[in-house]
Amino acid sequence: MGTVFWERPFVLDPPPAAVERHSDVDLHVPTGDGRHPAVVVVHGVPGPPEAPDARDWPLYRGYGALLAEAGVLAAIPRLTVASPDDLYTVAARVAAAAELLRADPRVDADRIGLWFFSGAGLLIGDWLRDPPAWLRGVAATYPLLAPLPGWPPVDPRFRPVDALDLPTDPDAATPSGTASPDDADIDAAQPDAASTGVDPTRPDATSPDAANVDAAHAEGAARPTLVLTRAGRERPEVAPTVEAFTAVARRRGIPLCVVDVPNGQHGFDALDHTEEARAAVRTARDTLIALLTAP
């Protein structure tokens, strides 16, 4: 087992997928004919300067294989961030990777998802604020959801909580099929999908967040559902950003499905080789795929 994070193995052991390298984007290709749903895997940024290309880390190769195993074509773009100004370039590369997938004849161009990790969480706002019709779901695993104190000024575009603002019209403020602010308080007291063993793809799932997955599509909600994986032992500088974002999202009725990993660290999918960690990764994947494949 590697001694540095980027050498540590993925918590699951999916069969390796065929990998195609297209310049700065790797495609992990599932077997089988026909058009597949697809996901852009947005690896954590900024990475350690001495680390190799994140596309070659066992962690992200594992996610590519895990998605391909389930019939999803995964794109992993190479991203580098050295300063807040680089976020503009990275955001453009993520959008370009999505368009690369949509243009691929093996992909169903109307069934695309995005999966953000760690510091890449700062990029989520673009997709929640003005989501394209083809974006079926967004996932975020131990994400950073606000710039950290002491950073140079960061464009509000990269403050995801700002993207949760709803229209001021009272009829539009609580979309049909999502929780009202009062309901959100009830939701917060209920168990989440990962801790109950509930199948998050079932319409009668008892997790209130999982129910929002179905409601968001049944009512044609404009915002994609966010599948948020939270580490219980999150880094102290990251945890408050996740808590604040989650509270605002629930209060404003944003479609949200939470997967909690109570004993997980930031990077649990490489650091914590436990059944809890493995179950959380599978739940996040399956919930995102349910969004991609819903009618």
Side-chain angles (χ1 to χ4, degrees):
M1 186 175 292
T3 57
V4 292
F5 183 75
W6 57 83
E7 293 178 352
R8 296 182 67 91
F10 188 43
V11 294
L12 295 171
D13 189 27
V19 180
E20 301 173 359
R21 180 153 289 185
H22 298 262
S23 184
D24 283 340
V25 180
D26 278 10
L27 298 182
H28 293 249
V29 183
T31 59
D33 298 327
R35 291 180 178 267
H36 303 276
V39 170
V40 180
V41 174
V42 189
H43 66 73
V45 293
E50 69 276 18
D53 187 337
R55 294 176 297 171
D56 295 326
W57 296 12
L59 174 64
Y60 295 114
R61 293 185 72 87
Y63 273 106
L66 188 71
L67 287 162
E69 177 187 39
V72 176
L73 201 155
I76 307 179
R78 182 184 183 185
L79 308 170
T80 57
V81 171
S83 75
D85 287 344
D86 292 333
L87 290 171
Y88 298 101
T89 300
V90 167
R93 288 180 177 170
V94 172
E99 290 303 327
L100 177 69
L101 282 177
R102 298 190 71 235
D104 193 303
R106 297 166 293 186
V107 168
D108 183 335
D110 293 324
R111 297 184 181 274
I112 306 295
L114 301 166
W115 197 342
F116 298 86
F117 293 82
S118 192
L122 295 177
L123 305 174
I124 291 174
D126 283 352
W127 303 96
L128 298 181
R129 186 179 297 107
D130 188 22
W134 46 259
L135 182 62
R136 295 297 193 96
V138 176
T141 294
Y142 45 82
L144 175 64
L145 291 172
L148 297 178
W151 279 20
V154 175
D155 190 318
R157 172 184 173 185
F158 303 114
R159 298 176 182 272
V161 71
D162 292 350
L164 300 180
D165 288 333
L166 291 172
T168 55
D169 178 71
D171 293 331
T174 306
S176 177
T178 61
S180 69
D182 292 335
D183 291 337
D185 293 332
I186 298 173
D187 287 359
Q190 297 287 340
D192 290 308
S195 59
T196 61
V198 172
D199 179 356
T201 68
R202 287 173 45 225
D204 60 341
T206 58
S207 164
D209 288 323
N212 282 341
V213 171
D214 300 292
H217 285 290
E219 300 298 332
R223 296 179 186 268
T225 295
L226 175 62
V227 183
L228 175 62
T229 300
R230 304 185 299 193
R233 297 165 58 202
E234 182 57 270
R235 295 176 182 172
E237 69 272 22
V238 175
T241 76
V242 178
E243 293 170 6
F245 179 94
T246 305
V248 173
R250 280 179 163 150
R251 188 165 63 247
R252 297 179 181 172
I254 304 301
L256 187 68
C257 183
V258 175
V259 181
D260 276 321
V261 194
N263 299 300
Q265 305 175 70
H266 189 96
F268 70 87
D269 39 10
L271 296 175
D272 303 321
H273 285 247
T274 64
E275 187 50 43
E276 177 187 74
R278 289 187 284 270
V281 171
R282 292 190 194 98
T283 298
R285 179 200 65 175
D286 293 347
T287 305
L288 181 58
I289 291 176
L291 294 169
L292 301 185
T293 57

